[in-house]
Amino acid sequence: MAMLNVLRNLVQEVNSAHDLPEALGIIVSRVQSAMETEVCSVYLLDPDSNRYILMATEGLYREAVGKVSLGYSEGLIGLVGSREEPINLEDAPSHPRYRYFPETGEERFRSFLGVPIIHHRRVLGVLVVQERENARCFDEGEEAFLVTVSAQLAGVIAHSEATGAISGLSLTGERAKDVCFSGVAGAQGVAIGEGVVVYPAADLDAVPEKQVEDIEPELALFGDAVSAVREEIGQVAERLASQLRPEEQALFDVYLRMLGDDALPGEVVTRIRDGQWAQGALKQVVQQYVRHFEMMDDLYLRERAVDIRDLGRRLLSHLQEGDQQDRTYPQNTVLVSEELTPAMLGEVPREQLAGLVSVRGSGNSHVAILARAMGVPTVMGLVDIPVNQLEGREVIVDGFEGQIYASPSQELRTFYQDICNEEDELVKGLEALRDKPCETTDGHRVSLLVNTGLMTDVVRSLSHGAEGIGLYRTEVPFMIKDRFPSEQEQREYYREQLEAFAPNPVTMRTLDIGGDKALTYFPIQEENPFLGWRGIRVTLDHPEIFLVQVRAMLKASEGLNNLQIMLPMVSNISEVEESLHLIYRVYHEVREEGYDIHMPKVGVMVEIPAAVYQVRELADRVDFLSVGSNDLTQYLLAVDRNNPRVAQLYHSYHPAVLQALVRIAQDAHAVGKPVSICGELAGDPGGAVLLMAMGYDALSMNAASLPKVKSVLRSLSREWAAQLLEDVLLLDSPHVIKSCVDLSLRSAGFGRYLRPGKSSAAMRQEKTSA
């Protein structure tokens, strides 16, 4: 239990450190004391030089810090790092890998225990304890304690490293340039702009660090917030005076004392005068107080941390209210957040939104799909990156490789500016294809449709030559409101889409909420939302929502008759039959009301593995099938597409996914029904080639991808594509399949449609990988 307390206090203290050297100093000091050993040191692996550098020590000569370094596989430190496991030696100097540095004074110590510090499979460094000759052999309990410490601190060290790197400093304190952070590609393209951090209201932890030159307005804002909170607390105390015992009443006095000028507010004011904006200064002071209280042994005092947090939140919410004046966004805004939401995207004027960066989410999360629809380069899943440090910094977003660069050099900026220019030229060059059909050189015709959700998508879709809408996400109008939209409001949304594309078909998916698509006014709390209440399951349980939506769709189609209705998340034949019954019922009701409408075609989305094996039975009951390859991939591979920790396992080119797609197309055609696909694979030039070879009648994608896909499909024969498909179906690795497809496209002259090419080795020489 004592060790657990030590560990808890250690993590608390390290979290409150201002920078990496302070954090490492706390680690070596506390571990040396807790283990009662003579030496504790931390060596960190410098990604620039690939050498282990002595960064902190308690027990060796302090002058050696920052000066002593070992090669990647040199000495016992290199051995611990390369083996990625602890090494415990009673007589270290007799080990063949022992390396002696006289400047450290370690010749006095014989016992050695080293454990690797590993974060997300990356070795960050080695934590070492040492003891004098014949003094002791470290036992299993001590080894386990050190391993636990190292595992707990790995994230803190990675976070501190990243913070320093964003500020432009390398591990050795030199200027770092082209600091690169890797995430997951969300939407293709490159953006160069200024970071603007958005964060939820009254969340202290999410407040970004921001330096200000004009401190007077910040001081005034903070003063007003303190006065307002004092007044609030005084009023509550007065109101409850008759109901509380004196000792309970005293808690309000504690709050008011904390708000005295020589208490918490005084410290915040000092930080504001040092140049930190009011919200950032408040966050720093509150977090310092909270950690101080949480580390206390006395339970009553430990509980006071909750009061401090509450006080901090109250002050912050007043500061944010005072800061609500219209926010001005830079011309090239790169929007940065812990978790981007569709509402956040709507805050920035579209012409000023250059790129998006989100800590949570993956390349197939709902926001990433919206970003692709809007054509905004996006990187998601930047786990453990201190995004609040990106406020006001120049950022490059590489949506092809899923990387961001902070504080880029002129050379890197020029390289990425050239890519931006090439992309613009390519799009202009493809405009000539707009009105031409998508037909292969041997006469095979494929329809190219678009996925839409916003009205802005429609304008871009028409300008790119779309032949209709393969997927209209009807949940978007639901997500941008704070209540269910009325039948009339829905009808207006749907009419816009239907009119814009008439007489071409518009396929509207019925409401698909649940999973990663939440409505604030209809919350669904579930342990596992992707396997829970979503899609058709929700709307059949709530027929009043389904009936209103279908009624609005049907009325919107009057005089146009280009509506098609698609049912999401179907896993049973009974769901289709129940839905058809409701649709027919509404159709007859609307006709009786005097509307002159045709019965729309109804289709089913194949996105659950169960549906793959029921394609023929489903096709017997509906007019068409459409594959939602994003969800189908997720369910086949058991990978949550919003979880960046497993994002590398989500792969549309996985052999199981390709085999399922082949089977669906064959089974649908066997019973004479058309089949389309509306997942992200369709918008990838290589994916589109394979899908066309499989026999998909229509490919639906975001508007930005359409010209590239059309250009590729018009330039090759179906016979060539069929041969490529046959070759890749023999392969067993998604990465090999992707490489094979890319290589074939490059050989056929389509290299410019793939991600921009600069050898990763050359890039690696130019950047510090953080």
Side-chain angles (χ1 to χ4, degrees):
M1 196 62 197
M3 281 303 191
L4 270 179
N5 281 337
V6 168
L7 194 60
R8 192 188 76 224
N9 292 344
L10 177 57
V11 172
Q12 295 275 9
E13 268 194 279
V14 170
N15 269 318
S16 63
H18 289 107
D19 53 28
L20 186 57
E22 188 185 339
L24 298 179
I26 293 167
I27 291 168
V28 293
S29 166
R30 299 297 178 269
V31 170
Q32 185 220 32
S33 166
M35 291 184 66
E36 297 177 350
T37 180
E38 290 173 280
V39 177
C40 179
S41 310
V42 174
Y43 293 79
L44 292 190
L45 186 60
D46 178 21
D48 237 0
S49 61
N50 213 24
R51 294 180 69 80
Y52 286 99
I53 302 169
L54 176 63
M55 295 296 292
T57 186
E58 196 73 50
L60 299 182
Y61 297 147
R62 290 279 169 84
E63 310 82 72
V65 170
K67 297 194 179 76
V68 167
S69 73
L70 297 94
Y72 180 71
S73 55
E74 189 181 356
L76 292 173
I77 302 299
L79 188 62
V80 172
S82 58
R83 282 175 52 169
E84 298 186 3
E85 63 180 345
I87 290 180
N88 190 349
L89 301 170
E90 206 167 338
D91 185 21
S94 66
H95 193 283
R97 289 289 290 274
Y98 180 75
R99 174 91 163 77
Y100 164 56
F101 290 94
E103 56 267 56
T104 64
E106 65 182 331
E107 69 275 10
R108 296 167 291 159
F109 308 105
R110 301 194 76 79
S111 303
F112 173 99
L113 170 59
V115 300
I117 304 167
I118 299 174
H119 186 64
H120 295 322
R121 300 190 184 186
R122 185 166 78 91
V123 176
L124 299 178
V126 176
L127 180 59
V128 178
V129 288
Q130 291 169 282
E131 193 70 57
R132 277 179 204 276
E133 188 172 4
N134 301 327
R136 77 203 275 186
C137 171
F138 295 105
D139 63 30
E140 284 182 5
E142 289 169 318
E143 186 177 313
F145 172 71
L146 207 60
V147 168
T148 311
V149 168
S150 133
Q152 286 281 333
L153 298 174
V156 176
I157 292 172
H159 202 273
S160 301
E161 255 189 40
T163 304
I166 288 175
S167 306
L169 293 175
S170 74
L171 207 55
T172 51
E174 295 157 15
R175 293 297 301 164
K177 64 169 190 167
D178 302 343
V179 177
C180 172
F181 297 104
S182 292
V184 179
Q188 290 199 343
V190 167
I192 303 172
E194 184 182 325
V196 173
V197 178
V198 283
Y199 49 96
D203 181 352
L204 275 165
D205 297 331
V207 171
E209 308 281 326
K210 192 157 71 175
Q211 295 293 313
V212 288
E213 286 178 22
D214 191 0
I215 62 170
E216 290 309 319
E218 297 298 314
L219 288 169
L221 207 57
F222 181 65
D224 291 346
V226 172
S227 302
V229 174
R230 273 186 193 145
E231 199 175 314
E232 267 176 27
I233 291 168
Q235 286 170 351
V236 173
E238 211 172 293
R239 206 165 53 243
L240 297 176
S242 60
Q243 302 163 42
L244 297 177
R245 296 198 301 273
E247 60 270 28
E248 290 166 337
Q249 186 74 22
L251 283 173
F252 290 105
D253 297 333
V254 171
Y255 265 40
L256 290 169
R257 275 204 301 279
M258 284 185 206
L259 288 170
D261 290 337
D262 54 351
L264 186 142
E267 292 188 43
V268 175
V269 166
T270 303
R271 291 185 189 235
I272 294 174
R273 292 197 188 282
D274 287 341
Q276 183 63 237
W277 72 315
Q279 294 185 35
L282 174 68
K283 165 186 146 172
Q284 289 174 0
V285 172
V286 168
Q287 287 184 339
Q288 189 182 331
Y289 269 63
V290 165
R291 286 177 189 130
H292 178 67
F293 277 110
E294 283 180 344
M295 284 171 64
M296 291 182 173
D297 293 328
D298 184 285
L299 187 62
Y300 174 80
L301 289 173
R302 238 185 6 246
E303 289 296 322
R304 299 289 63 78
V306 177
D307 299 336
I308 299 274
R309 268 197 183 283
D310 179 49
L311 209 52
R313 270 196 293 268
R314 286 169 185 271
L315 287 164
L316 180 62
S317 91
H318 280 283
L319 283 176
Q320 288 175 338
E321 272 174 37
D323 198 33
Q324 274 311 300
Q325 65 266 38
D326 286 351
R327 185 166 192 176
T328 53
Y329 290 94
Q331 193 47 50
N332 289 317
T333 293
V334 172
L335 208 58
V336 181
S337 178
E338 278 287 326
E339 186 161 28
L340 285 169
T341 63
M344 288 175 182
L345 307 195
E347 291 288 311
V348 189
R350 177 62 193 91
E351 64 280 2
Q352 287 169 247
L353 184 59
L356 300 170
V357 175
S358 181
V359 173
R360 295 198 196 123
S362 76
N364 291 286
S365 62
H366 195 62
V367 167
I369 291 167
L370 283 178
R372 283 194 284 274
M374 295 165 72
V376 182
T378 302
V379 174
M380 317 282 289
L382 286 152
V383 182
D384 300 313
I385 299 302
V387 287
N388 52 11
Q389 300 282 331
L390 293 174
E391 176 73 36
R393 292 189 183 278
E394 186 176 28
V395 178
I396 292 176
V397 179
D398 180 347
F400 292 101
E401 297 287 347
Q403 293 172 332
I404 67 163
Y405 294 86
S407 311
S409 63
Q410 185 56 51
E411 297 86 352
L412 196 73
R413 195 182 297 110
T414 304
F415 168 68
Y416 274 107
Q417 191 57 58
D418 290 345
I419 291 175
C420 290
N421 299 341
E422 281 168 28
E423 281 288 296
D424 290 344
E425 287 299 311
L426 182 61
V427 170
K428 284 187 191 130
L430 295 174
E431 281 172 3
L433 292 177
R434 188 178 75 179
D435 299 320
K436 293 184 176 170
C438 181
E439 193 169 277
T440 61
T441 55
D442 50 359
H444 178 71
R445 182 88 166 78
V446 185
S447 292
L448 296 190
L449 312 171
V450 284
N451 304 330
T452 70
L454 306 162
M455 198 54 208
T456 51
D457 298 342
V458 171
V459 180
R460 298 178 78 240
S461 304
L462 291 167
S463 69
H464 285 96
E467 299 169 54
I469 295 178
L471 167 64
Y472 171 62
R473 302 184 178 94
T474 61
E475 60 276 2
V476 175
F478 285 76
M479 290 168 84
I480 57 179
K481 299 193 91 63
D482 54 8
R483 57 170 173 75
F484 280 111
S486 67
E487 182 187 317
Q488 183 56 35
E489 285 171 326
Q490 289 187 56
R491 188 173 156 190
E492 286 164 14
Y493 287 125
Y494 305 154
R495 183 75 181 180
E496 273 182 335
Q497 303 275 335
L498 291 161
E499 272 182 341
F501 278 89
N504 290 330
V506 172
T507 306
M508 296 195 167
R509 178 175 69 190
T510 60
L511 187 61
D512 186 15
I513 54 170
D516 63 338
K517 296 188 285 286
L519 302 180
T520 51
Y521 50 88
F522 190 70
I524 301 171
Q525 296 297 326
E526 290 183 307
E527 194 70 32
N528 196 335
F530 282 98
L531 297 182
W533 201 46
R534 59 172 299 204
I536 200 72
R537 300 167 183 180
V538 175
T539 46
L540 288 180
D541 282 353
H542 279 275
E544 74 282 9
I545 298 172
F546 187 71
L547 292 167
V548 167
Q549 186 176 34
V550 173
R551 191 172 285 113
M553 286 178 184
L554 292 174
K555 288 180 179 176
S557 73
E558 188 180 31
L560 301 172
N561 297 316
N562 60 336
L563 168 69
Q564 298 192 151
I565 295 175
M566 188 156 67
L567 308 172
M569 286 296 295
V570 167
S571 57
N572 277 300
I573 299 297
S574 61
E575 291 166 336
V576 178
E577 291 174 338
E578 199 177 335
S579 301
L580 286 170
H581 170 72
L582 292 172
I583 292 169
Y584 279 115
R585 188 181 116 190
V586 173
Y587 168 70
H588 290 300
E589 286 171 3
V590 172
R591 297 264 304 175
E592 282 166 19
E593 286 176 40
Y595 288 89
D596 181 16
I597 54 166
H598 295 189
M599 176 63 195
K601 287 183 177 174
V602 178
V604 161
M605 287 197 79
V606 179
E607 48 191 341
I608 293 178
V612 175
Y613 299 98
Q614 289 193 296
V615 164
R616 291 172 186 241
E617 292 81 0
L618 291 166
D620 282 340
R621 289 162 174 80
V622 293
D623 303 298
F624 66 94
L625 296 169
S626 186
V627 178
S629 64
N630 298 347
D631 269 326
L632 182 60
T633 303
Q634 165 172 266
Y635 290 126
L636 279 171
L637 303 182
V639 173
D640 174 0
R641 60 191 176 130
N642 287 311
N643 184 344
R645 293 186 194 281
V646 291
Q648 74 280 5
L649 299 174
Y650 179 100
H651 212 302
S652 303
Y653 285 86
H654 192 289
V657 175
L658 296 182
Q659 297 283 359
L661 292 173
V662 168
R663 178 180 177 137
I664 293 163
Q666 287 174 346
D667 285 1
H669 288 150
V671 290
K673 292 291 165 69
V675 61
S676 61
I677 185 163
C678 55
E680 292 303 313
L681 185 62
D684 172 67
V689 170
L690 297 182
L691 293 167
M692 181 265 287
M694 290 176 195
Y696 281 85
D697 303 291
L699 310 179
S700 192
M701 62 204 72
N702 64 72
S705 302
L706 199 142
K708 291 181 185 179
V709 168
K710 184 186 276 192
S711 177
V712 170
L713 294 184
R714 279 177 54 87
S715 308
L716 47 80
S717 68
R718 188 179 184 191
E719 188 185 348
W720 183 89
Q723 185 56 56
L724 175 62
L725 176 64
E726 194 179 313
D727 293 343
V728 301
L729 287 177
L730 299 172
L731 302 172
D732 57 10
S733 158
H735 302 286
V736 174
I737 291 173
K738 178 79 172 94
S739 300
C740 178
V741 171
D742 282 356
L743 185 63
S744 299
L745 288 181
R746 285 189 198 281
S747 305
F750 301 118
R752 65 192 186 284
Y753 297 136
L754 307 174
R755 63 188 56 175
K758 185 178 195 187
S759 82
S760 40
M763 287 295 287
R764 212 170 285 122
Q765 287 167 5
E766 291 183 12
K767 73 193 182 191
T768 304
S769 189

